[in-house]
């Protein structure tokens, strides 16, 4: 599908008011998206596990403006919305939402005709260093798609999900991988049927049961604000001396993963996943300006994981986001052994022992508003 396929068909009726609620999960990339072109087009394809416990819960209450004698004042871009995060008004989040609305307006032209009250909250602490843009932007995109669905005579589920992912991408790239689960691929790749730069797709090939219920224990090493925002990080890939090699790397990792995922090859999965995480950080260490986002405790944890994996012959491994926290990944049947190890040896490196036990999930859910 191309961009124009997401332009709306005629609206049959624009409802006066309504309320919609979605819960959408975060995701953790195995093959990382790092670097993009204009319009949120990724520089390389990526693949992620959809998570289950880390979710954003968003309710949108809409009200049609036409006929109101004193409509609320629009913001600078002409959109009218209230934004509440955890019950409180958050002015600092407004610019990101307004930018999102500007980008998607062409695809949802009803936006300016409504006042939206957006109430949102996360199941994980905001200061945890866990990126909330994937779950937050996908939840909002889904609410807006549900609005559109109420305005047209019919829309099939497949189109609904694709367009939700397409819109979410325009809010935050990784958000397009949060609509479905347990494994989602985004970015055009000649070896992956149906892959697209415009939206994420459920991984279209065989997934061995080893990978359908993976565990992700997120160790909160550093709860502070992100040192480098992802937009700054993506920008650093322009003119990066190793960018082309990195992008190639991601393409070949995705090709390799096809048989790894089908056969349940945990050893090879570990190699690719850890290499992706370290390459992401290597890119940041070798950009201009350069950044070191791992903390001493991040390295301690990685070292302990490597030692334990060797000693226990388990399949525990790690991945990293653009920050110091560590995602400890392991198959479900190793939970008892690996979580025991995490408790005994790794939690000492987390801020106040803080961690989140998550696992792969099946994507966003509509909740009765
Ligand atoms: C390191 O999706 O947050 O988590 O498109 O600018 O919003 P924007 O970036 P974002 O970048 C995610 C980067 C990453 C890797 C990944 O999730 O693939």
């Amino acid at each position: 599908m191309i961009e124009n396929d997401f332009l709306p068909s005629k609206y049959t009726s624009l409802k006066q008011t309504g309320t919609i609620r979605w819960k959408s999960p975060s995701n953790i990339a195995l093959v990382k998206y790092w670097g993009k072109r204009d319009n949120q087009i990724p520089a390389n394809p990526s693949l992620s596990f959809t998570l289950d416990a880390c979710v954003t819960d968003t309710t949108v209450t809409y009200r049609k403006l036409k006929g109101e004698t004193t409509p609320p004042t629009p913001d600078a871009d002409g959109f009218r919305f209230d934004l509440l995060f955890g019950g409180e008004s958050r002015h600092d989040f407004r610019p990101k939402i307004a930018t999102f609305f500007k980008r998607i307006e062409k695809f949802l032209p009803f936006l300016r005709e409504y006042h939206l009250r957006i109430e949102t909250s996360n199941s994980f602490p905001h200061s945890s260093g866990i990126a909330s843009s994937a779950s937050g932007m996908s939840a909002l995109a889904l609410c807006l798609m549900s609005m559109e669905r109420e305005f047209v005579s019919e829309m099939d589920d497949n189109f609904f999900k694709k367009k939700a992912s397409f819109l979410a991408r325009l809010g935050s790239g990784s958000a397009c991988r949060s609509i479905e689960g347990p494994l989602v691929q985004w970015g055009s790749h000649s070896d992956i049927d149906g892959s697209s730069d415009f939206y994420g797709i459920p991984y279209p090939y065989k997934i061995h049961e080893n990978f359908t219920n993976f565990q992700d224990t997120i160790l909160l090493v550093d709860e502070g604000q992100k040192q480098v925002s992802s937009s700054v990080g993506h920008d650093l890939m322009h003119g990066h001396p190793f960018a082309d090699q990195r992008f190639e790397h991601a393409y070949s990792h995705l090709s390799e993963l096809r048989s790894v995922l089908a056969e349940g090859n945990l050893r090879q999965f570990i190699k690719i996943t850890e290499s992706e995480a370290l390459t992401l950080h290597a890119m940041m260490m070798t950009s201009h300006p350069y950044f070191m986002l791992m903390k001493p405790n991040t390295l301690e944890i990685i070292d302990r994981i490597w030692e334990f994996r060797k000693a226990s012959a388990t399949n525990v491994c790690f991945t990293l986001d653009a920050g110091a926290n560590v995602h400890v990944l392991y198959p479900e049947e190793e939970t008892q052994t690996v979580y025991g190890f995490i408790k005994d040896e790794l939690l000492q490196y987390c801020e106040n022992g803080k961690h989140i036990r998550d696992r792969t999930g099946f994507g966003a859910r509509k909740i009765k508003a």
Side-chain angles (χ1 to χ4, degrees):
M1 290 177 90
I2 57 165
E3 268 204 317
N4 281 352
D5 293 331
F6 296 109
L7 292 170
S9 51
K10 259 215 153 357
Y11 295 142
T12 44
S13 70
L14 289 183
K15 272 180 69 181
Q16 212 57 38
T17 56
T19 301
I20 289 153
R21 180 174 171 201
W22 277 88
K23 272 191 187 183
S24 190
S26 186
N27 65 70
I28 180 67
L30 303 167
V31 176
K32 309 287 180 184
Y33 147 57
W34 200 243
K36 62 177 166 183
R37 306 199 297 273
D38 283 350
N39 263 326
Q40 295 286 98
I41 298 300
N44 64 264
S46 57
L47 178 75
S48 51
F49 273 144
T50 304
L51 295 180
D52 183 50
C54 290
V55 295
T56 297
D57 184 339
T58 298
T59 301
V60 170
T61 306
Y62 60 86
R63 185 180 87 233
K64 198 154 184 288
L65 293 163
K66 201 162 179 216
E68 288 196 7
T69 42
T70 47
T73 331
D75 77 346
D77 293 306
F79 299 104
R80 293 174 168 88
F81 61 98
D82 294 332
L83 183 66
L84 286 98
F85 181 78
E88 282 174 30
S89 238
R90 289 292 296 257
H91 287 277
D92 47 333
F93 291 171
R94 291 185 68 88
K96 196 158 183 189
I97 304 289
T99 304
F100 176 49
F101 285 168
K102 249 193 344 212
R103 285 187 191 153
I104 63 172
E105 186 183 9
K106 182 172 153 197
F107 304 99
L108 297 179
F110 60 80
L111 275 177
R112 281 183 199 272
E113 300 192 38
Y114 284 88
H115 174 270
L116 305 179
R117 179 179 166 87
I118 306 166
E119 292 167 87
T120 181
S121 62
N122 292 339
S123 65
F124 47 93
H126 181 58
S127 63
S128 61
I130 297 181
S132 57
S133 63
S135 52
M137 284 299 177
S138 54
L140 183 54
L142 283 157
C143 289
L144 299 175
M145 272 313 291
S146 288
M147 266 179 91
E148 177 159 78
R149 192 175 224 174
E150 291 181 359
F151 303 160
V152 295
S153 53
E154 62 170 306
M155 184 186 292
D156 76 63
D157 274 348
N158 192 29
F159 178 81
F160 178 93
K161 286 182 199 155
K162 275 208 171 116
K163 185 163 174 182
S165 174
F166 172 88
L167 297 175
R169 180 195 104 243
L170 294 169
S172 176
S174 55
C176 79
R177 298 187 313 237
S178 276
I179 309 295
E180 296 179 86
L183 262 176
V184 177
Q185 193 274 333
W186 166 43
S188 183
H189 190 306
S190 55
D191 289 352
I192 303 179
D193 284 340
S195 60
S196 166
D197 282 344
F198 294 128
Y199 47 81
I201 54 166
Y203 189 68
Y205 302 116
K206 184 174 172 220
I207 306 171
H208 188 278
E209 60 185 21
N210 279 352
F211 300 112
T212 51
N213 202 358
F214 236 63
Q215 306 296 299
D216 178 5
T217 300
I218 309 164
L219 304 181
L220 306 181
V221 172
D222 181 18
E223 287 203 88
Q225 274 294 319
K226 274 197 185 174
Q227 194 188 330
V228 184
S229 72
S230 17
S231 355
V232 171
H234 289 293
D235 253 5
L236 291 172
M237 291 303 279
H238 291 293
H240 190 295
F242 309 128
D244 290 343
Q245 293 93 321
R246 157 60 198 151
F247 300 145
E248 275 312 308
H249 202 214
Y251 278 92
S252 46
H253 276 161
L254 271 156
S255 301
E256 247 185 279
L257 275 166
R258 184 159 167 186
S259 61
V260 169
L261 293 170
E263 290 158 13
N265 185 341
L266 287 158
R267 288 290 139 176
Q268 207 50 30
F269 172 85
I270 291 172
K271 271 198 194 158
I272 295 171
T273 303
E274 292 189 345
S275 161
E276 277 289 321
L278 295 178
T279 305
L280 169 70
H281 282 254
M283 288 298 111
M284 280 179 275
M285 286 185 226
T286 49
S287 56
H288 300 289
Y290 41 80
F291 294 95
M292 166 67 82
L293 301 185
M294 289 189 260
K295 299 277 183 209
N297 281 351
T298 313
L299 293 175
E300 284 289 354
I301 290 169
I302 293 176
D303 228 29
R304 294 279 179 134
I305 289 175
W306 285 343
E307 274 173 26
F308 180 77
R309 185 162 74 224
K310 216 163 155 190
S312 63
T314 54
N315 293 289
V316 58
C317 68
F318 70 88
T319 189
L320 306 165
D321 260 339
N325 296 334
V326 182
H327 288 248
V328 186
L329 303 175
Y330 46 100
E332 190 193 21
E333 55 273 19
E334 296 179 2
T335 300
Q336 213 186 344
T337 320
V338 176
Y339 188 66
F341 153 70
I342 292 173
K343 271 200 308 207
D344 294 346
E345 292 194 42
L346 301 186
L347 294 190
Q348 59 177 318
Y349 301 114
C350 302
E351 277 197 29
N352 305 314
K354 281 196 192 148
H355 65 292
I356 297 170
R357 289 184 78 172
D358 211 335
R359 66 207 66 80
T360 52
F362 294 94
R365 278 184 307 126
K366 189 161 193 262
I367 311 286
K368 246 191 152 66

